[in-house]
Amino acid sequence: MYPMLKPALHRAWRGRNTVQFGVTPAHAVRLGPVDIATGSFLELLDGTRGLPLLYEEARGLGLSDHHVDVLLERLVGAGLLDDPRSAGPHAEALRHRAEVMDRQRPDVASLSVAHPEPGGGLRRMAARQSMRVQVRGAGRLGASIASVLSGAGVGHVDVLDGGRAEPWDVAPAGLPSASVGERRDVAARRLVRRSAPGPAPRSAAAGRVGRVPAGVGRAATGGAESARARAAGPPEGSAQPGLSLIVVAPREGLSGYAPVPDTASPWMASGTPHLYTGVVEATGVVGPLVLPGGTGCAGCLELHRAERDPQWPRMLAQWRSGRRGAVPACDLGLATAVAGLAAAHALAFLDGELPASTGTRWETALPLLDWRSERVGPHADCVCGAAEGVKGEGASAAVQAQDTMVG
């Protein structure tokens, strides 16, 4: 073990005896009381010393081995201690790829803050290399999402779309102007390769990572666990890893805002998680992230809307069957913001978390751009069956609570 204080966290003394690690409330941790000798010892935790040398130098400061053990245990418990060497063989291999690590040091640093266990950041970055994500759409939104996912270390990013790139598909984070007139899928594949920090791995071998947040139901966690199982890679000898996630980002934003449930039937049948996103008119949406059988799906979304507005199905049929001659509205700043949020939610899911878009849609509109959320719960009449799973889990929880009360 070569412990180091997480370098991504800013450090400051709140007073003579208390150290604060981290600036923002989301990740700030206070450590105290800290005397002068312990404060000096903290400076030695830079990842260059193993435990034997740390014990020796601590004795020189008048600190006992027991004091060091207790301090290190407290630092680990507070999520302040890192040890990249303990992240496993795949992470160790990544650590020695200098050309890749130079690109991804900021990402690994951020992951080390978000995931408290020592080596957690590098372990998750290494696991991303074996994951496969499919982005459906290569317009301003979809191509930008694909480039961010590839640049963030996802080893296999497929982009599906038809036709040829138009001038209005070009975006700073997406397709370049040189791709105009080229087949969209070809241009998107080139963008993904150019955005990647290194060549795609030849095999998909990585251990499961991450954890399921406390308080999440069995139906939802089943979707998350199956995604992480796919992320662990295909059977030995398989040419390509299974899909960990599908991101739906159509160029025509109506299909992202009001997705056709039948399109998702194969994903629901295979248990493939999928995240909807889009820009329609001057509104951007991210979510819901659908965990088949565990959260509300596109069919649930459509049924809930029809209940709130009985005329919705009539209008939706007209919009879907109408002529699409005009270039769809897609503000570049809005599309870039939506792409960034969608990519961040996708990465959080791939890293083993259930982001805020799980079963929830986030929506913002020009010109004020205030994000608001709408829960997309399972609908009892939807064929996805998620409502039955939630109902069964609720009954089980009620029985458990009753048993606890009787006991």
Side-chain angles (χ1 to χ4, degrees):
M1 185 177 181
Y2 287 76
M4 63 184 295
L5 291 171
K6 292 186 175 180
L9 292 173
H10 294 72
R11 198 185 325 168
W13 288 88
R14 294 184 59 86
R16 297 182 62 182
N17 301 313
T18 305
V19 185
Q20 177 165 320
F21 298 84
V23 176
T24 67
H27 302 109
V29 176
R30 299 176 187 177
L31 181 69
V34 178
D35 56 30
I36 295 176
T38 302
S40 300
F41 178 77
L42 291 176
E43 300 296 330
L44 303 177
L45 299 177
D46 57 6
T48 64
R49 298 168 176 85
L51 287 177
L53 182 56
L54 285 173
Y55 287 133
E56 182 181 335
E57 299 203 22
R59 293 184 204 111
L61 295 170
L63 302 176
S64 67
D65 292 359
H66 176 70
H67 183 92
V68 171
D69 290 338
V70 171
L71 177 62
L72 293 178
E73 186 177 338
R74 288 184 62 195
L75 292 172
V76 169
L80 299 175
L81 211 59
D82 208 353
D83 183 10
R85 291 179 174 86
S86 68
H90 301 291
E92 187 67 13
L94 174 62
R95 199 166 67 88
H96 290 290
R97 296 179 62 191
E99 76 285 358
V100 176
M101 281 302 300
D102 285 346
R103 278 274 302 273
Q104 306 220 272
R105 287 188 198 283
D107 303 274
V108 174
S110 178
L111 283 169
S112 76
V113 174
H115 301 279
E117 74 276 12
L122 192 61
R123 188 179 301 114
R124 283 169 175 79
M125 182 57 67
R128 287 181 184 179
Q129 290 190 318
S130 66
M131 295 181 182
R132 179 171 162 239
V133 176
Q134 184 183 93
V135 180
R136 302 179 70 89
R140 282 185 166 184
L141 179 61
S144 298
I145 293 172
S147 70
V148 173
L149 293 177
S150 180
V154 178
H156 307 266
V157 181
D158 308 331
V159 188
L160 302 185
D161 207 339
R164 298 187 178 275
E166 301 286 355
W168 48 85
D169 293 325
V170 173
L175 298 181
S177 57
S179 66
V180 173
E182 190 176 11
R183 279 177 45 183
R184 282 194 182 91
D185 57 349
V186 173
R189 283 197 294 269
R190 184 181 301 113
L191 171 67
V192 166
R193 288 195 300 269
R194 190 178 68 242
S195 302
R202 293 184 179 181
S203 62
R208 300 186 186 186
V209 299
R211 56 183 172 82
V212 176
V216 177
R218 289 192 196 91
T221 58
E225 290 292 354
S226 64
R228 286 196 290 275
R230 278 189 294 276
E236 193 70 29
S238 179
Q240 195 174 34
L243 279 172
S244 296
L245 179 68
I246 294 172
V247 180
V248 184
R251 284 178 285 113
E252 204 295 297
L254 179 63
S255 299
Y257 186 79
V260 180
D262 289 347
T263 304
S265 295
W267 316 332
M268 298 296 291
S270 63
T272 306
H274 43 285
L275 172 67
Y276 291 102
T277 183
V279 174
V280 59
E281 297 167 352
T283 295
V285 294
V286 175
L289 168 63
V290 179
L291 306 181
T295 64
C297 67
C300 297
L301 176 65
E302 195 163 295
L303 289 167
H304 283 307
R305 280 176 169 163
E307 284 184 350
R308 293 195 302 267
D309 181 0
Q311 299 306 316
W312 176 260
R314 179 196 301 271
M315 296 186 297
L316 189 57
Q318 296 174 64
W319 291 329
R320 286 174 175 168
S321 62
R323 298 180 60 184
R324 301 178 184 177
V327 176
C330 186
D331 178 84
L332 184 57
L334 177 61
T336 304
V338 171
L341 186 62
H345 280 238
L347 290 168
F349 177 72
L350 295 175
D351 292 335
E353 302 297 326
L354 294 178
S357 59
T358 307
T360 300
R361 161 160 285 176
W362 289 85
E363 184 175 318
T364 190
L366 295 172
L368 300 182
L369 294 168
D370 56 324
W371 287 96
R372 52 194 178 276
S373 65
E374 173 195 359
R375 184 71 182 165
V376 182
H379 195 284
D381 296 333
C382 186
V383 296
C384 73
E388 287 299 317
V390 171
K391 186 189 303 180
E393 183 176 328
S396 174
V399 170
Q400 261 188 344
Q402 189 177 25
D403 288 346
T404 303
M405 290 173 65
V406 172

